[in-house]
Amino acid sequence: MKEVDGDSALDRATEDALALFADQRRGSRSRPGDRLPGEGAEAAGRARSGRTEPRHAEPRHAEPAHAGPAHGGQESFAYFPFDEIPVGGGVVDGGRAVGTARAAHATRGPSVPAPAPAPAYDDLPFTDLDAARNGQDEKRARDMTADDAPHGSHTPHATSWSTARAVAAAAAGALPAEDRALGDALGQVLAEPLVALTDLPSFDTSAMDGWAVSGPGPWKLPPPGAQDVLAGRPGARPLRDGRAVRIATGAPVPPGATAVLRSEHGEVTVQGELLAGRHVSHGQDIRPRGGECRQGDELAPVGTLVTPALLGLAAAAGYDALAVVRRPRVDVLVLGDELLREGLPEGGLIRDALGPMLGPWLRALGAEPGEALYLGDEGGALREALAASTADVVVTTGGTASGPVDHVHPTLRGLGAELLVDGVAVRPGHPMLLARLGPGRHVVGLPGNPLAAVAGLLTLAEPLLRALTGRASGASARAVLAEAVSGHPVDTRLVPVEYDGAGRVRPLRFHGPAMLRGLAAGDGMAVVPGGGAGQGAEVTVLGLP
């Protein structure tokens, strides 16, 4: 039978699932002639095997969705062609399933009540349909649904989102200090207090171009051709009372000077006298020595992030190098046989989005990532790479579920790693993990879908790297939702949002686990609690690099 027949069976099963959901919403029981989700799965199986057995019209009793493990103890994730999370209580751009669902309702006859509105994403019944035609398709189907399966497939041992972040933050301490030249210390954290090595400024300095004057005016100027007081030329002669001399900004104020008269406030007469156009107070426009700090003053404490402004302050205070916390070295292992590194997707392959994204993201978090290593779906290569790595943190992408080509868990067990977090109650991204591979060595396992991987970065990698770099915990921003966001009944949901200019955040459309379009246009990720959040609710917003 042609391959397209299998897709047709998949469509029929999807229609049945949505039709059953509408019946349940209306409180009705299954009627003769209605196909249930189990029958849709059988139809798909007949389509793949080439059998065309007649469909039974007798009513059946549907087994509960996700009633137990299948396929040798592994949980069977159903394929469902939704790539969007609902916003405002309904499915946004549901794709093919919405259209087929409408078609299914349209053929049920005039006696059937009008269907309920499109259900919220988490209420959709997932069938135990195996949509995979080979191991690679099965992996893609599982990855697509693992982050989006409804609450019936909630992993019992999954760690809550807030607890997972706390565990990651407490998993390690700050790395040892190192001395870095000022030009190389940007983005690192001070391992020692920044203490002034000199007074700032180190001498009395003119704050303006004008005249250094002594006493009340008018003042007598030196004869024409006398040397002005310029910056970088010390040794100006002392000024006697009633005298003035031309001075530049930043120049040392001559001994005996009582103020600086700005150029625009003075007038020179033909007799060579300087007159003030306004009152001149004592010390006016003179920066006194030590006015900013005295030698020995603490300018910044341990743990301060080295910013461009801090580099300027350190240089002014006499530093050539800074003692900073060493950057964590991070190895990135990209898993998956289906990934292309260049060109257009073809032949069932997809472009890798994580390799180009992870390096800059990790660098923004204070890490020093190496070039991504592509391993495919080969368990031996993964074990060899993990065993050989000397990095402080290894970040893997994909392979964190429990399917036949998901090798992260068994590889970590084989290496004697300690699982600190094994699954997080968050959507997307719940199959993420954090493990201790040895003293001072950690593994962050990210899901393979791009937005799910970002959820893993924000949940586990960011707090771990903050601890390793000595950075203080980032202050959580709070914002009000401009629109309601539906949520998982139990798990936390992370949704890309943008600020609307009025202090509120608006959820973005393209926020499926495999999508980056919403994230690329967003200003942050809103933390939506289980059950969702209504319009006007206040939520935490995680910042983006």
Side-chain angles (χ1 to χ4, degrees):
M1 183 174 291
K2 295 182 179 179
E3 188 176 24
V4 70
D5 293 337
D7 290 335
S8 299
L10 178 61
D11 283 338
R12 289 197 299 272
T14 302
E15 295 165 6
D16 293 336
L18 284 167
L20 176 62
F21 172 79
D23 291 342
Q24 292 171 341
R25 288 280 293 264
R26 292 192 296 268
S28 64
R29 297 183 179 272
S30 58
R31 295 176 294 277
D34 289 348
R35 287 190 291 116
L36 300 179
E39 293 176 290
E42 292 176 4
R46 290 193 298 270
R48 286 193 300 272
S49 63
R51 289 179 286 123
T52 55
E53 297 173 6
R55 290 167 46 198
H56 298 284
E58 299 84 45
R60 293 185 183 181
H61 296 289
E63 296 182 3
H66 306 284
H71 305 297
Q74 301 293 339
E75 183 179 0
S76 176
F77 290 97
Y79 173 87
F80 202 82
F82 270 76
D83 215 7
E84 287 280 341
I85 300 170
V87 175
V91 175
V92 179
D93 191 16
R96 181 180 63 176
V98 171
T100 54
R102 293 196 185 105
H105 289 309
T107 59
R108 298 182 69 85
S111 61
V112 178
Y121 181 81
D122 288 315
D123 294 329
L124 289 167
F126 280 64
T127 67
D128 191 15
L129 176 63
D130 178 11
R133 296 184 180 85
N134 54 53
Q136 182 171 307
D137 288 344
E138 180 178 289
K139 176 177 181 290
R140 278 203 290 270
R142 183 180 60 256
D143 286 343
M144 177 175 288
T145 57
D147 292 323
D148 288 332
H151 58 277
S153 64
H154 177 72
T155 307
H157 65 268
T159 306
S160 72
W161 182 78
S162 58
T163 300
R165 282 174 61 85
V167 169
L175 292 171
E178 63 179 0
D179 289 334
R180 298 294 291 266
L182 291 185
D184 298 328
L186 182 65
Q188 293 181 255
V189 168
L190 292 180
E192 297 177 359
L194 185 69
V195 177
L197 302 179
T198 183
D199 296 341
L200 282 182
S202 56
F203 49 84
D204 292 345
T205 307
S206 175
M208 293 288 172
D209 292 331
W211 296 269
V213 299
S214 179
W219 302 274
K220 186 175 181 180
L221 293 170
Q227 186 175 10
D228 296 337
V229 181
L230 304 178
R233 295 183 183 179
R237 295 179 180 180
L239 277 180
R240 298 198 309 267
D241 188 48
R243 299 281 182 165
V245 65
R246 193 79 184 172
I247 194 169
T249 301
V253 175
T258 57
V260 170
L261 177 65
R262 300 184 184 186
S263 297
E264 60 268 28
H265 296 161
E267 180 182 352
V268 179
T269 67
V270 293
Q271 291 81 20
E273 286 189 328
L274 174 65
L275 304 177
R278 61 181 62 188
H279 173 72
V280 181
S281 60
H282 187 82
Q284 177 176 307
D285 288 327
I286 293 178
R287 297 190 185 115
R289 176 175 181 169
E292 185 171 1
C293 68
R294 289 291 185 180
Q295 181 180 354
D297 286 352
E298 183 177 303
L299 304 178
V302 171
T304 301
L305 182 67
V306 178
T307 62
L310 188 72
L311 288 174
L313 176 61
Y319 283 86
D320 299 316
L322 293 175
V324 292
V325 178
R326 177 173 66 80
R327 286 180 177 269
R329 295 186 298 272
V330 180
D331 284 342
V332 178
L333 308 181
V334 181
L335 312 181
D337 290 334
E338 72 276 19
L339 301 177
L340 286 172
R341 298 177 61 182
E342 60 183 14
L344 295 175
E346 61 180 355
L349 303 179
I350 59 175
R351 276 295 299 271
D352 166 49
L354 293 180
M357 179 176 69
L358 286 180
W361 200 303
L362 293 167
R363 194 170 293 109
L365 294 178
E368 192 172 286
E371 187 175 351
L373 180 63
Y374 290 79
L375 300 180
D377 283 321
E378 209 280 300
L382 174 61
R383 180 186 178 93
E384 182 179 343
L386 286 174
S389 174
T390 59
D392 303 293
V393 179
V394 177
V395 174
T396 65
T397 69
T400 54
S402 54
V405 291
D406 292 326
H407 301 296
V408 175
H409 279 92
T411 300
L412 291 175
R413 286 194 298 269
L415 293 172
E418 175 190 2
L419 277 176
L420 305 178
V421 176
D422 187 11
V424 178
V426 65
R427 308 300 172 106
H430 78 274
M432 66 182 74
L433 63 84
L434 172 64
R436 182 176 289 117
L437 195 56
R441 299 177 62 208
H442 291 83
V443 176
V444 176
L446 305 178
N449 276 322
L451 190 60
V454 170
L457 277 175
L458 296 175
T459 303
L460 298 178
E462 181 179 4
L464 175 64
L465 291 174
R466 279 191 176 275
L468 289 169
T469 57
R471 298 189 186 194
S473 299
S476 297
R478 301 284 291 177
V480 172
L481 286 173
E483 298 175 11
V485 180
S486 65
H488 189 277
V490 178
D491 295 351
T492 300
R493 194 181 282 287
L494 302 182
V495 180
V497 293
E498 64 178 353
Y499 285 96
D500 67 355
R504 302 174 302 176
V505 291
R506 189 178 307 279
L508 296 167
R509 282 189 59 211
F510 300 97
H511 48 194
M515 294 183 173
L516 288 176
R517 183 173 174 181
L519 186 71
D523 298 311
M525 292 277 273
V527 182
V528 180
Q535 181 180 3
E538 189 177 68
V539 295
T540 297
V541 179
L542 304 177
L544 304 175

